Amino acid sequence: MPFQLRKKGAGRQVRSSNMATANRLTDILSEQLMVLNELQKTLNDEQKAIANLDTPLMEVLNNQKELLIARQRTIAENLRAALTETAGQLGMPPSVTLSEMLEKMPASMRARVEPLQQAVKQTGSAVSVVANQNRGMLERFLGVVNESLSFILRILNTSNTYGVRGTYLNNTQSGAVMINREA
C-alpha cells in the first residue's frame, strides 16, 4: 500500500510539474505576443510617419522599436530556457523546437500552448511584412533625398567650375585654369 501512495503522489507531482511548465510557457508566449502586437502597432505608426515625412515622429518611433526589440530578445531568451527545461521533462533533446515539443506534450498542456504559439507565429509574420515595407519606403525616401542633395550640390559647385568671371576652372587643386577668351 505505501508503494501505491507514492505512485499516486508521483503522478500528481508530474501533473503539477506539467501544469507549472505549461503556465510558464503560456506566460512567456503571452508576453511575447503582447510585445509583438506593440511592435506591429509601432511599425504601422512608423509607416504613416514615413508617408507624411514626419522625421521627428520617426525618431520617436525608432526609439520605441529599439526598446520593444530589446524586450523581445529578453523574452526569447526566457522562452529558450523554458523550452530547454520542458524538453528535459519530456525526455527530448534540449535543441528541440516548440513545434516538435507540442507533438509530445500531454493534450491538456498542448491545448494551452499551441494556440499561443500559432498567434505568435502569425503576429511575427505580420510584423516582418510591415518591417520590410517600412524598410523599402525608407530606402526609396533616402534615395530621393540623396538624389536631391546631389543635384543641389552640383548647382552649388557650378561657381567653382566656371569661376567668378565666367572662366572655366579645370582641376582646381593643381591650379590649371582655362580662361574664356570672350571675357
Side-chain angles (χ1 to χ4, degrees):
M1 190 132 188
F3 178 74
Q4 289 179 343
L5 287 176
R6 276 191 225 144
K7 189 175 182 183
K8 284 184 181 179
R12 278 189 224 132
Q13 188 178 20
V14 169
R15 278 193 297 276
S16 174
S17 177
N18 283 344
M19 289 308 288
T21 300
N23 287 341
R24 185 169 178 216
L25 285 174
T26 56
D27 288 348
I28 293 170
L29 288 170
S30 294
E31 185 180 4
Q32 187 175 41
L33 183 59
M34 182 184 71
V35 169
L36 287 173
N37 282 324
E38 286 179 44
L39 185 57
Q40 184 177 21
K41 182 190 178 315
T42 301
L43 288 169
N44 285 331
D45 291 345
E46 179 186 56
Q47 203 169 71
K48 292 172 189 167
I50 294 168
N52 294 329
L53 300 176
D54 188 346
T55 54
L57 180 58
M58 284 191 280
E59 186 176 340
V60 168
L61 294 170
N62 194 50
N63 290 335
Q64 286 178 6
K65 285 188 310 184
E66 289 175 5
L67 293 173
L68 290 168
I69 290 168
R71 283 178 53 199
Q72 175 60 25
R73 285 186 182 128
T74 301
I75 293 167
E77 290 171 13
N78 293 338
L79 181 60
R80 176 49 45 201
L83 290 175
T84 300
E85 180 183 329
T86 305
Q89 291 174 354
L90 296 173
M92 300 176 82
S95 61
V96 70
T97 65
L98 181 55
S99 295
E100 295 167 333
M101 202 178 289
L102 283 169
E103 296 171 8
K104 301 281 184 171
M105 283 183 183
S108 62
M109 191 175 171
R110 183 176 43 241
R112 295 182 62 205
V113 174
E114 193 169 28
L116 281 171
Q117 182 218 22
Q118 293 302 316
V120 166
K121 277 182 165 180
Q122 289 173 346
T123 306
S125 292
V127 164
S128 180
V129 166
V130 176
N132 284 329
Q133 288 172 345
N134 289 5
R135 187 185 72 227
M137 289 172 70
L138 285 170
E139 286 173 351
R140 287 188 297 277
F141 172 70
L142 290 175
V144 168
V145 169
N146 281 334
E147 286 178 25
S148 296
L149 287 175
S150 293
F151 176 73
I152 290 169
L153 288 174
R154 280 194 308 268
I155 291 172
L156 292 176
N157 288 331
T158 301
S159 64
N160 292 340
T161 304
Y162 290 104
V164 179
R165 297 197 155 198
T167 58
Y168 179 72
L169 304 175
N170 187 11
N171 196 3
T172 57
Q173 286 95 5
S174 66
V177 178
M178 179 187 288
I179 298 172
N180 184 348
R181 292 179 188 233
E182 294 175 352

